[in-house]
Amino acid sequence: DTAVSQTPKYLVTQMGNDKSIKCEQNLGHDTMYWYKQDSKKFLKIMFSYNNKELIINETVPNRFSPKSPDKAHLNLHINSLELGDSAVYFCASSQDLGGEGETQYFGPGTRLLVL
Amino acid sequence: TQLLEQSPQFLSIQEGENLTVYCNSSSVFSSLQWYRQEPGEGPVLLVTVVTGGEVKKLKRLTFQFGDARKDSSLHITAAQPGDTGLYLCAGASAVSNYQLIWGAGTKLIIKP
């Protein structure tokens, strides 16, 4: 059973296009996250949702818009894609928001390449 | 701003050797976690340490949390090719509202 799943795994698209990445977790967790991992492997938090509400919104362009239809899903829509958006995007979930030693469970990542 | 610095950034050694990687900060953390990320996959939690001076062992991996809870180390004994991956440390504290602060990672390659 896949705990945190993302689709698609690979996404190649042209600059200026709009695309979405979907994420689902079957762990019954209350909190979900989107991370961006750049070519240097640095993992940067983008968004955090707790019980479908936005908790953390780091400084990301407003071309990125997360949507959480329910606790088990957190999708990421990106408008007007730019070359610099090329990266691996990870979805993750945890039982609750923060707290000492809260484990985050990661999806397999979506490799986005903008041409 | 809380930061976690990992060193070395990259390490390539022969199978059977021992190694230590470090995760350092000038800030105090309530807990610190180590994750391993294999190529093409997401990070997976290895261990969480919460007490200053705490040592945890996971087979050939030994994790230590500094006494002041500002740093941590990961020691691997007799490294195996299966240990190859990106090792990430992440810390949480009340200052960051327990949002995980991530290090940039140590890329480890174990050559057969």
Side-chain angles (χ1 to χ4, degrees), chain B residues 2-105:
Chain B
Q2 293 184 301
L3 289 173
L4 278 168
E5 294 185 1
Q6 291 191 242
S7 61
Q9 289 183 319
F10 180 79
L11 184 59
S12 178
I13 62 171
Q14 290 295 135
E15 181 178 0
E17 293 183 16
N18 302 332
L19 66 107
T20 303
V21 297
Y22 301 91
C23 176
N24 296 314
S25 177
S26 58
S27 305
V28 175
F29 288 93
S30 302
S31 64
L32 201 134
Q33 299 178 321
W34 284 92
Y35 288 77
R36 179 169 65 209
Q37 183 179 11
E38 298 186 12
E41 301 293 332
V44 175
L45 180 71
L46 295 173
V47 77
T48 300
V49 286
V50 297
T51 306
E54 182 176 4
V55 176
K56 280 192 173 178
K57 291 194 174 186
L58 189 66
K59 297 183 181 177
R60 293 175 293 100
L61 278 59
T62 302
F63 304 84
Q64 183 161 9
F65 202 10
D67 290 341
R69 289 184 291 135
K70 292 183 179 181
D71 52 77
S72 180
S73 63
L74 159 59
H75 182 79
I76 302 179
T77 303
Q80 303 292 313
D83 297 326
T84 292
L86 178 69
Y87 288 80
L88 295 157
C89 67
S93 73
V95 172
S96 66
N97 284 327
Y98 296 105
Q99 173 191 346
L100 278 182
I101 306 297
W102 292 84

Side-chain angles (χ1 to χ4, degrees), chain A residues 27-80:
Chain A
L27 297 168
H29 288 168
D30 287 340
T31 307
M32 296 184 73
Y33 311 82
W34 275 111
Y35 285 90
K36 179 181 180 180
Q37 188 173 45
D38 60 26
S39 57
K40 293 185 178 179
K41 303 300 183 184
F42 187 68
L43 203 60
K44 184 178 178 182
I45 183 77
M46 300 174 70
F47 301 102
S48 169
Y49 267 72
N50 182 255
N51 280 316
K52 302 194 300 174
E53 288 190 20
L54 180 63
I55 302 299
I56 299 170
N57 182 359
E58 293 297 315
T59 307
V60 298
N62 56 17
R63 299 181 294 103
F64 290 80
S65 53
K67 279 195 171 55
S68 182
D70 55 59
K71 279 196 329 181
H73 296 84
L74 181 62
N75 303 323
L76 183 64
H77 188 75
I78 315 170
N79 288 327
S80 303

